[in-house]
Amino acid sequence: MKYLFAFALLVLASQVRAQSSDETTIRTIYDEALARGKSYEMLEYLTTKIGSRLSGSPGAAASVEWTRHIMQNFDFDSVWLQPVMVPHWERGQQEVGRVLNSKKMGTVDLNVCALGNSIGTGPEGITGSVVEVKNFDDLKRLGEKNIKGKIVFFNRPMDPTQIQTFTAYGGAVNQRGGGASEAAKYGAVGVIVRSMGINPEDYPHTGSLGYAPNVPKIPAIAVSTKHADLLSNLLKNDAGLQFYFETHCQIFSDAPSFNVVGQINGSEYKDEIIVVGGHLDSWDLAQGAHDDGTGCVQSIEVLRIFKAMGYKPKRTIRAVMFMNEENGLRGGTEYAAQSASKKENHIAAVESDRGGFTPRGFTLSGTDAAKAKIRSWKNLFEPYGLTDFGQEGGGADISPLAPQGTTLIGFLPDSQRYFSYHHTPEDTFDKVDKRELELGAASMAAMIYLIDMHGLK
């Protein structure tokens, strides 16, 4: 009996030493990020010198070369470009949205923008009466006789009572993604969609739509939340008012581009790969700071921190800048396909694509054993303000790795301000706080350190 007791004491002492070592290393990670971090200066260059980076654009091409250069300068063990063909959509000149003949206000200009991947109206524009709906069931109820030849106005707000803003987004975004094709089934000639924002705002939010096969393609625009409310009120007073909108967007042939990959080789289990990444592309309305410049520079910073500390990982760690998350997910899909063809073993992937705000925790998707092991480290993160490890999820770009059995982890910052900037002209460098950004990079590095040290089995 006394031998069992002694053995238990040895195991406990070993666990205490491991815990103490992890605490010390994580403290060093945070010290490096907060005192000597490079993420903020990287973000400044990416957003203010290169700017918007929609796939297929000159900005996207410039960001690929700059990212490769940065990772080479940090002396990662290897840096390479992974070719991928991406959609090429261009917005063209400024959109016009105008109420023509309301009884209450006459002609009124509204703040609108084309939805990504939408066809354009051309210079002649589209004019028609407006049918307001909340959802696809409303379309079905109204039917072709009430919709054909008209412009459908989807006006379902994001639910402001949801504490998790991504839940509110998920409850509204299908009208943006599928509204044009659903309305076209009933003969609509165009679509207006309430912007995906919670607050009353003057500026519209863009974002991608998808056209269903074998359904006519019709032009689609987003309207600012304030002007969505205005249009709805005008329709209550005059159901017959006419609306005009004009867009000049075009879809071109797919364009060549790249994912950018930087790697630190593993010393013990080099065939086990841990990925950390964000998407390098952004919408064209602004600088793509929170979506997803922050995720890219945080991911590069993870590897830089390890190099600066002199940390030699057991497993291979990769930073991947994925191209074309916004309107195609081609980069994430291609990365996973190449990984599968090479029979690579990705044990975990971490993505930052919720902005560079204060860290709150991580979302998790994987086996029960892997999730339980990650949650057992919660006490190591609590001193740094990370307490939420209970939500499912990973990230769009890393999701194609799921069939390979990869544990998917999403960096989870505070989300309350995210949808004030998401896909808007307001997503600029000045909206990012340096300390919040650095805390996020350190949190991601700490997670990857723990996975590297202890594995997930």
Side-chain angles (χ1 to χ4, degrees):
M1 189 68 172
K2 65 180 181 180
Y3 296 111
L4 290 175
F5 181 70
F7 179 74
L9 287 177
L10 286 172
V11 171
L12 179 60
S14 175
Q15 291 173 341
V16 169
R17 284 194 298 271
Q19 174 91 359
S20 176
S21 176
D22 289 340
E23 289 175 351
T24 300
T25 302
I26 289 172
R27 179 70 261 182
T28 303
I29 287 171
Y30 275 87
D31 287 349
E32 175 63 30
L34 295 173
R36 294 171 292 279
K38 303 298 182 184
S39 56
Y40 195 67
E41 65 183 64
M42 282 191 281
L43 183 67
E44 182 175 23
Y45 191 95
L46 178 64
T47 56
T48 66
K49 303 301 183 185
I50 296 176
S52 65
R53 307 172 297 280
L54 189 59
S55 64
S57 71
S63 69
V64 165
E65 289 304 317
W66 175 81
T67 307
R68 174 168 65 172
H69 177 73
I70 283 291
M71 291 198 281
Q72 288 172 336
N73 280 355
F74 285 143
D75 198 27
F76 297 164
D77 292 336
S78 54
V79 178
W80 69 94
L81 302 182
Q82 185 179 76
V84 57
M85 296 299 291
V86 298
H88 180 195
W89 176 87
E90 293 184 5
R91 182 174 303 280
Q93 70 190 60
Q94 180 67 49
E95 302 92 337
V96 175
R98 183 174 296 142
V99 174
L100 295 179
N101 58 346
S102 78
K103 294 176 181 177
K104 187 175 181 181
M105 298 179 66
T107 299
V108 184
D109 287 334
L110 303 185
N111 294 336
V112 302
C113 68
L115 291 179
N117 294 345
S118 174
I119 64 169
T121 67
E124 67 280 3
I126 288 176
T127 302
S129 56
V130 178
V131 179
E132 180 178 350
V133 299
K134 297 293 185 185
N135 50 49
F136 298 163
D137 288 339
D138 286 351
L139 293 177
K140 185 176 181 180
R141 177 178 54 79
L142 288 167
E144 184 175 329
K145 67 177 181 178
N146 293 304
I147 293 175
K148 188 173 183 178
K150 297 180 181 180
I151 298 169
V152 169
F153 170 35
F154 287 98
N155 191 31
R156 182 169 80 256
M158 290 174 60
D159 182 356
T161 68
Q162 294 288 342
I163 303 304
Q164 299 294 337
T165 58
F166 277 84
T167 301
Y169 178 68
V173 74
N174 74 328
Q175 60 193 326
R176 188 196 76 199
S181 287
E182 290 299 317
K185 292 176 183 178
Y186 299 96
V189 296
V191 161
I192 308 165
V193 179
R194 182 188 184 93
S195 283
M196 298 295 109
I198 290 181
N199 296 321
E201 298 162 343
D202 289 317
Y203 46 86
H205 297 228
T206 192
S208 186
L209 65 76
Y211 287 119
N214 304 317
V215 177
K217 295 180 179 180
I218 60 175
I221 57 173
V223 62
S224 73
T225 53
K226 278 188 177 179
H227 283 177
D229 291 338
L230 174 60
L231 178 57
S232 182
N233 287 332
L234 291 175
L235 285 168
K236 287 179 175 64
N237 290 293
D238 181 7
L241 65 77
Q242 296 285 294
F243 187 85
Y244 170 83
F245 73 94
E246 179 184 327
T247 61
H248 297 266
C249 38
Q250 297 183 69
I251 302 172
F252 299 93
S253 299
D254 286 356
S257 190
F258 303 90
N259 296 324
V260 190
V261 186
Q263 178 170 296
I264 299 177
N265 298 330
S267 60
E268 190 173 346
Y269 309 112
K270 64 180 182 180
D271 292 333
E272 295 186 9
I273 300 168
I274 305 169
V275 160
V276 59
H279 65 84
L280 195 51
D281 61 306
S282 74
W283 283 109
D284 56 323
L285 296 180
Q287 298 172 349
H290 280 292
D291 188 21
D292 184 28
T294 54
C296 290
V297 300
Q298 285 172 328
S299 299
I300 297 171
E301 178 75 346
V302 169
L303 273 65
R304 187 206 68 80
I305 287 170
F306 290 153
K307 292 283 291 187
M309 291 169 53
Y311 176 70
K312 306 293 185 184
K314 295 180 179 182
R315 296 163 171 86
T316 294
I317 302 175
R318 285 182 186 168
V320 182
M321 309 298 105
F322 297 98
M323 182 56 70
N324 182 234
E325 185 271 347
E326 293 293 3
N327 62 335
L329 205 65
R330 299 281 185 86
T333 302
E334 179 65 21
Y335 181 85
Q338 292 203 23
S339 168
S341 69
K342 296 173 185 176
K343 294 181 168 45
E344 292 180 331
N345 179 21
H346 287 75
I347 67 166
V350 180
E351 182 164 359
S352 173
D353 188 18
R354 294 191 175 210
F357 303 103
T358 300
R360 299 297 187 208
F362 293 93
T363 61
L364 307 173
S365 178
T367 65
D368 290 343
K371 291 189 287 188
K373 190 159 191 179
I374 291 170
R375 287 169 182 151
S376 75
W377 301 328
K378 181 179 174 182
N379 65 309
L380 294 167
F381 289 95
E382 286 176 341
Y384 305 96
L386 285 81
T387 59
D388 189 346
F389 291 75
Q391 299 183 50
E392 290 287 325
D397 293 292
I398 60 177
S399 63
L401 290 170
Q404 301 180 29
T406 307
T407 299
L408 307 182
I409 304 167
F411 170 59
L412 182 64
D414 187 287
S415 68
Q416 299 308 316
R417 289 177 287 155
Y418 184 66
F419 289 100
S420 295
Y421 310 131
H422 184 243
H423 296 175
T424 78
E426 297 296 303
D427 188 11
T428 50
F429 174 69
D430 59 294
K431 307 303 190 307
V432 179
D433 180 83
K434 179 176 183 290
R435 186 168 179 84
E436 290 180 324
L437 180 71
E438 292 169 344
L439 284 167
S443 301
M444 293 159 61
M447 174 60 74
I448 290 169
Y449 157 75
L450 290 168
I451 297 171
D452 180 57
M453 280 295 294
H454 304 294
L456 289 175
K457 293 182 179 178

